[in-house]
Amino acid sequence: MTQHSRDTPQFYLTAPSPCPYLAGRHERKVFTHLVGDKAADLNDLLTHGGFRRSQSIAYRPACEGCRACVSVRVVVADFQPSRNMRRVAERNADLVGDVRTAAPTSEQYSVFRAYLDARHRDGGMADMTVLDYAMMIEDSHVDTRVIEYRRRGPDTGFTGRGAGDLIAVALSDVLSDGLSMVYSFFEPGEAERSLGTFMILDHITRAQKMGLPFVYLGYWVAGSRKMDYKGRFLPQERLMASGWVRFES
């Protein structure tokens, strides 16, 4: 029997399950494991091909007769924030993002739990325990960072960190050509800040400073209220049958 190397990806197909984005439809995913010394290179390659990472798994929709899930990435150098996005940035000018290694904390989990209970009570992640959360953060074989957003404190000018309570968190991968936003969450009581939009804007700024051309946002799904917001970050490239295609509007 031939033994496959852990550096050689093997792909698998899930059974059909209800689609979380479009009512009345079912989804299937093709997935592989991101492990071994070449995990980072494989994650880069697969992300360019429309895959997303969840812990040590890379997956992509493989639904019969449906191509609604479209991978999108913001073109950092040419990005122009809308008037509403500028207002969101101003509204959150009191927040400071602190980049940390991918290590979970009880404070993060408290915000995560409140976010799920308020926003995704019936979702697939609703029953995640503190151990599940720790696995989501730690189980990565690629360059993964956690960005904590806190209110700006009196010593911010010296340490670069906020001094207030934790408001929002983003889990992101550093790729060869961009930042990939894996998951983000925030205090539900701070909804008026539009923190989801703010964290994307912050990642675009960070990518600019790092000299990275793209911010990967995952899947945009036309007709899904959950995913429609991603189409507003322009210009962006969407992965079509012919490859990455630029969209200005």
Side-chain angles (χ1 to χ4, degrees), residues 226-238:
K226 292 181 181 179
M227 295 296 183
D228 193 53
Y229 70 94
K230 296 180 182 181
R232 300 198 298 265
F233 293 85
L234 300 167
Q236 64 180 224
E237 293 184 356
R238 299 174 187 171

Side-chain angles (χ1 to χ4, degrees), residues 3 9 29 31 51 53 82 85 108 118 126 132 148 154 157 181 189 200 202 204 210 215 219 237-238 244 248-249:
Q3 182 175 357
K29 294 186 177 77
F31 70 94
F51 280 71
R53 185 183 71 81
S82 66
M85 290 176 185
Q108 291 169 11
D132 295 327
E148 294 186 345
M181 299 187 68
I200 294 176
D202 181 66
I204 293 171
M210 296 170 70
V215 171
Y219 301 116
E237 293 184 356
R238 299 174 187 171
W244 290 97
E248 303 284 349
S249 61

Side-chain angles (χ1 to χ4, degrees), residues 34-52:
L34 292 171
V35 295
D37 295 337
K38 296 182 180 179
D41 292 337
L42 180 59
N43 190 41
D44 256 35
L45 180 65
L46 292 178
T47 301
H48 297 160
F51 280 71
R52 294 285 287 164

Side-chain angles (χ1 to χ4, degrees), residues 92-98 100 105-108 111 147-153 156 160-169 193 195 198:
N92 291 283
D94 62 327
L95 298 187
V96 175
D98 180 23
R100 296 176 173 269
T105 68
S106 58
E107 190 179 22
Q108 291 169 11
V111 176
I147 305 177
E148 294 186 345
Y149 296 90
R150 300 176 185 272
R151 286 186 177 88
R152 192 177 297 273
T156 297
R161 300 177 181 177
D165 293 338
L166 185 64
I167 301 296
V169 177
R193 287 178 174 270
L195 287 162
F198 170 70

Side-chain angles (χ1 to χ4, degrees), residues 146-235:
V146 169
I147 305 177
E148 294 186 345
Y149 296 90
R150 300 176 185 272
R151 286 186 177 88
R152 192 177 297 273
D155 69 338
T156 297
F158 300 99
T159 67
R161 300 177 181 177
D165 293 338
L166 185 64
I167 301 296
V169 177
L171 178 67
S172 302
D173 292 342
V174 181
L175 307 177
S176 62
D177 66 345
L179 298 178
S180 177
M181 299 187 68
V182 176
Y183 196 76
S184 61
F185 54 93
F186 53 85
E187 278 287 356
E190 301 283 349
E192 74 283 352
R193 287 178 174 270
S194 300
L195 287 162
T197 295
F198 170 70
M199 284 188 276
I200 294 176
L201 294 173
D202 181 66
H203 275 68
I204 293 171
T205 299
R206 291 177 185 275
Q208 289 173 335
K209 292 179 179 178
M210 296 170 70
L212 298 172
F214 301 111
V215 171
Y216 289 81
L217 301 183
Y219 301 116
W220 169 73
V221 183
S224 169
R225 293 184 60 188
K226 292 181 181 179
M227 295 296 183
D228 193 53
Y229 70 94
K230 296 180 182 181
R232 300 198 298 265
F233 293 85
L234 300 167

